[in-house]
Amino acid sequence: MKNWKNLLTIPLVLSLALSSTMVFAQDNSEVESESVNTEEVADTSTALSPEEAFEFEDLTSQGSAAKGTTIADIDMTAEDWVDQAAAATEAVEGDTYVRLDSGLLTVNQLNAFLKAIPFELTYADDNNQFLYYNYKLEAEDMLGSRRPDQAGNPLADVHPESALVNVSWVVNQLREGHTDHVRMAVPNSDPNKFVVHDYYGIYDDEGNFMGVNEVIWDIQPVIDFWMQQNNASYEVDATSGATEETGEENGDTTEETEEEISEEVDEETEAETTEDAAPSLSPEEALEFEDVNAEGESAHGTTIADVDMAAEDWVDQAAKAVDAVEGDTYVKLDNGVLTVDQINEFLKAQPVELTYADDNNQFLFYNYKLEPEEMLGSRRLDQVGSALADVHPESALQNLSWVINQLREGHTDHVRMGVPNSDPEKFVVHDYYAIHDEDGNYMGINEVIWDIQPVVDFWLQQTGADLDIDETDVTSGATEDDSETVEEEETSETDESTEEAASVDFSNLEDGTYTGSAQGHNGAVEVEVIVEGGVITAVNVLEHSETAGISDPAISDVPAAIVENNSTEVEVTSGASLTSQAIMEAVNNALSQ
């Protein structure tokens, strides 16, 4: 996987000029195409000028792919190119198994998985032929409009003529290795969106260029999440495409946009769900519901019998058992035709770490591109095929089960949480997306792990936003130059909580049930404390408005620690210190009545 240091970002003034032209699929914004100033582009890169790049690149796809994947004797502009190409190559589809570099999925699973990736994706090969996009919306509803009848077209035929010089420049930058990533902001008419187009080079294991992965997405929800997690506010010029937000408005926008509650949830469940997507089931109930040991079978009939899930060579054994295709075999996807080799490299070219766990809670695939110790979420090839319970620590299973249940039952289709890490220059986020078939049936989970700090840095650079962070209330371990000060303040708050705990005489508690509350990060946290035989036997969090996912470990672990120690002098949960302290203080308040 190429890294961020090779990223070429287009300055805002230049991206405004390029925005409606330098894209593989025209953006929906009403921005008039402009010719690009050659000197400005040359100043952006030490590589080729647009004219030189244009002379080099054949956007009419009259050559052939270096890997021999160009399908001959089919009109590239045919509206039914996908059907013709699939027939000519005897492409597999449906429930046929595909052996990937680090996993095994059916074509149906691949289609659903690609649609569950939270970006609009396009694959154009090294012959500049548009081969695939992860069709999930009608063209008019997409950020970058595409149509099924465009699959198979040369890039020249899916762009206006005025854009070809710039498309050629982007492709050339990636083909020649001048950069492996070009990013630009694209103006749009919606003030609540900040649309970004990313172009990633696709390369084989030897580093040979295989094409371009175009990623189009709205980064505003990510920015709002980062702001909410860092207790930050900002102001920007409204003409920049970003939303002006301050304080609580950031949190409101984040929760409504990024933790979208399914419209199909019944009214009773919706009433139980708080604004920040608090669980409708407690972690204990969810754990009883979910079989994270994968002892059942997939409802889609894809569980492979008679192969030990824990076997280190599960992929080899399972692929042999189901006659899985691989290598240069063609696969017919919902909106394109790619070889297995192309699919492998396309998935590796995604700017995030991806995992597929099916509806039987079996870990079936991840887009292997780094060694485990270099990944944000460490995974190993010998774990593929295992039950989810076997690739997570026992302490995480309760919360894992809750996440799965939320997605399986349709309470939400997306759970996001920030994960504390030791690198102050990173802000790691875990996103869990439900995977569904075309009929809406649950097929599993796409876990996305990524560092959003570079996205935030890009947004700040593009907008010139005036950022204000309240460092006394940082909850997620976000990047801060004076993080030591934050840690000292959090430690001080913890010490104060501990002093309050010492004011309760835990050696002489009277039996009974007590309730108390204290201020958490987002509001009051109410607890119930049960004392039997002079000791605390249970602490239950009755009500709270803390952020789902982030606060869950504290809500689970802190009460258990209080019961185990018969004291509120317990450790705070990393990443949820304010919630932890609120629980301790609420218990103290209950017992001091």
Side-chain angles (χ1 to χ4, degrees):
M1 173 67 178
K2 309 288 183 176
N3 57 41
W4 284 101
K5 69 180 180 181
N6 294 324
L7 164 65
L8 173 61
T9 60
I10 308 299
L12 183 58
V13 64
L14 182 54
S15 71
L16 290 172
L18 299 178
S19 61
S20 65
T21 59
M22 199 168 164
V23 291
F24 284 0
Q26 184 121 7
D27 190 79
N28 289 337
S29 59
E30 298 178 357
V31 181
E32 182 179 355
S33 297
E34 300 180 20
S35 60
V36 179
N37 183 296
T38 300
E39 295 179 355
E40 284 183 335
V41 175
D43 289 341
T44 305
S45 171
T46 58
L48 302 177
S49 72
E51 286 79 3
E52 291 172 318
F54 182 64
E55 292 173 2
F56 178 83
E57 291 294 333
D58 170 24
L59 298 181
T60 61
S61 305
Q62 294 181 354
S64 60
K67 290 282 187 179
T69 53
T70 299
I71 302 171
D73 303 324
I74 299 177
D75 179 7
M76 290 182 177
T77 62
E79 291 188 2
D80 63 343
W81 179 87
V82 172
D83 291 333
Q84 290 191 50
T89 59
E90 298 182 350
V92 300
E93 57 185 307
D95 58 5
T96 300
Y97 284 87
V98 178
R99 178 181 175 161
L100 301 166
D101 285 347
S102 48
L104 185 67
L105 298 172
T106 67
V107 180
N108 286 335
Q109 287 174 319
L110 263 172
N111 274 312
F113 183 49
L114 287 163
K115 292 176 184 176
I117 295 174
F119 314 117
E120 295 178 6
L121 305 174
T122 295
Y123 190 134
D125 72 1
D126 59 317
N127 189 36
N128 296 326
Q129 185 179 9
F130 173 33
L131 295 181
Y132 169 80
Y133 74 99
N134 61 335
Y135 175 75
K136 47 190 171 184
L137 293 173
E138 296 301 323
E140 61 271 17
D141 296 324
M142 299 179 69
L143 297 173
S145 178
R146 303 180 181 90
R147 302 188 315 271
D149 60 1
Q150 292 176 319
N153 285 193
L155 287 181
D157 289 351
V158 293
H159 294 84
E161 186 175 356
S162 61
L164 297 186
V165 65
N166 299 315
V167 173
S168 186
W169 178 79
V170 171
V171 174
N172 182 261
Q173 295 300 299
L174 301 172
R175 184 191 299 273
E176 297 301 311
H178 300 306
T179 183
D180 55 31
H181 177 198
V182 177
R183 164 170 287 165
M184 68 176 71
V186 176
N188 66 95
S189 58
D190 188 340
N192 294 314
K193 292 182 178 179
F194 195 102
V195 178
V196 169
H197 289 236
D198 285 288
Y199 306 87
Y200 295 89
I202 302 173
Y203 307 94
D204 65 17
D205 290 341
E206 286 76 42
N208 300 306
F209 179 72
M210 292 180 65
V212 178
N213 167 29
E214 181 188 20
V215 176
I216 306 178
W217 56 309
D218 173 18
I219 69 172
Q220 192 62 47
V222 173
I223 302 305
D224 292 337
F225 177 79
W226 187 94
M227 295 291 170
Q228 186 261 340
Q229 293 299 294
N230 285 280
N231 199 36
S233 60
Y234 63 88
E235 292 185 1
V236 298
D237 183 349
T239 61
S240 69
T243 309
E244 291 193 12
E245 302 284 354
T246 57
E248 294 180 358
E249 293 177 357
N250 282 335
D252 292 343
T253 302
T254 300
E255 301 302 340
E256 292 174 5
T257 306
E258 280 306 302
E259 298 192 18
E260 302 167 304
I261 303 303
S262 172
E263 294 179 358
E264 300 176 359
V265 177
D266 58 52
E267 293 182 1
E268 179 180 353
T269 302
E270 192 170 4
E272 293 173 356
T273 306
T274 63
E275 289 185 24
D276 64 347
S280 56
L281 295 177
S282 71
E284 291 80 2
E285 291 172 315
L287 184 61
E288 292 174 4
F289 176 83
E290 289 295 334
D291 170 23
V292 290
N293 292 305
E295 293 177 343
E297 292 184 358
S298 168
H300 299 270
T302 53
T303 299
I304 301 172
D306 303 324
V307 179
D308 181 8
M309 290 184 177
E312 291 187 2
D313 63 343
W314 180 87
V315 175
D316 292 334
Q317 290 190 48
K320 182 177 180 180
V322 297
D323 294 324
V325 300
E326 56 185 306
D328 58 3
T329 300
Y330 283 86
V331 177
K332 181 181 181 181
L333 298 168
D334 281 349
N335 208 45
V337 177
L338 298 172
T339 67
V340 178
D341 286 337
Q342 288 175 318
I343 293 170
N344 270 312
E345 303 310 327
F346 184 48
L347 288 167
K348 291 177 188 175
Q350 299 312 315
V352 291
E353 296 175 6
L354 302 169
T355 294
Y356 190 134
D358 73 1
D359 59 316
N360 188 38
N361 295 327
Q362 185 179 10
F363 171 35
L364 295 180
F365 170 80
Y366 73 102
N367 60 334
Y368 174 72
K369 47 192 169 184
L370 294 172
E371 294 302 316
E373 61 274 13
E374 298 172 334
M375 297 180 70
L376 298 173
S378 178
R379 302 182 183 92
R380 304 189 313 273
L381 288 171
D382 60 7
Q383 292 176 319
V384 178
S386 298
L388 287 181
D390 293 335
V391 294
H392 292 83
E394 186 174 357
S395 60
L397 297 185
Q398 185 168 315
N399 294 320
L400 170 67
S401 188
W402 175 80
V403 169
I404 295 171
N405 182 263
Q406 296 298 296
L407 300 174
R408 184 192 298 274
E409 296 301 311
H411 301 309
T412 183
D413 56 16
H414 176 204
V415 176
R416 165 169 287 166
M417 63 180 70
V419 177
N421 68 93
S422 58
D423 188 341
E425 296 185 355
K426 292 182 178 180
F427 193 104
V428 178
V429 169
H430 288 233
D431 284 290
Y432 304 87
Y433 294 89
I435 301 173
H436 297 101
D437 64 17
E438 292 183 352
D439 298 320
N441 300 308
Y442 177 75
M443 294 181 67
I445 292 179
N446 170 24
E447 181 184 16
V448 177
I449 306 177
W450 53 318
D451 173 19
I452 68 172
Q453 192 62 47
V455 178
V456 175
D457 293 341
F458 173 79
W459 180 88
L460 291 170
Q461 180 263 327
Q462 292 290 299
T463 63
D466 184 10
L467 188 63
D468 180 21
I469 297 179
D470 183 356
E471 296 172 353
T472 64
D473 194 18
V474 175
T475 62
S476 63
T479 302
E480 299 298 336
D481 292 336
D482 50 356
S483 57
E484 292 182 3
T485 303
V486 175
E487 291 177 2
E488 289 173 2
E489 290 171 346
E490 290 186 348
T491 302
S492 175
E493 291 175 7
T494 304
D495 290 341
E496 291 175 5
S497 176
T498 302
E499 289 175 6
E500 291 179 14
S503 65
V504 177
D505 184 2
F506 288 91
S507 65
N508 190 27
L509 298 175
E510 294 185 7
D511 291 358
T513 300
Y514 304 85
T515 59
S517 64
Q519 180 65 30
H521 181 259
N522 296 332
V525 176
E526 183 179 351
V527 302
E528 174 188 73
V529 184
I530 300 175
V531 177
E532 296 177 346
V535 297
I536 300 172
T537 59
V539 174
N540 302 310
V541 177
L542 300 178
E543 293 186 9
H544 72 89
S545 55
E546 304 298 85
T547 303
I550 298 169
S551 65
D552 294 343
I555 292 171
S556 170
D557 296 345
V558 174
I562 292 173
V563 172
E564 181 180 355
N565 293 278
N566 196 46
S567 171
T568 52
E569 295 183 24
V570 298
E571 292 185 3
V572 299
T573 300
S574 177
S577 59
L578 294 179
T579 302
S580 300
Q581 293 159 12
I583 295 171
M584 298 177 206
E585 185 178 351
V587 171
N588 289 336
N589 292 339
L591 296 177
S592 62
Q593 294 176 4

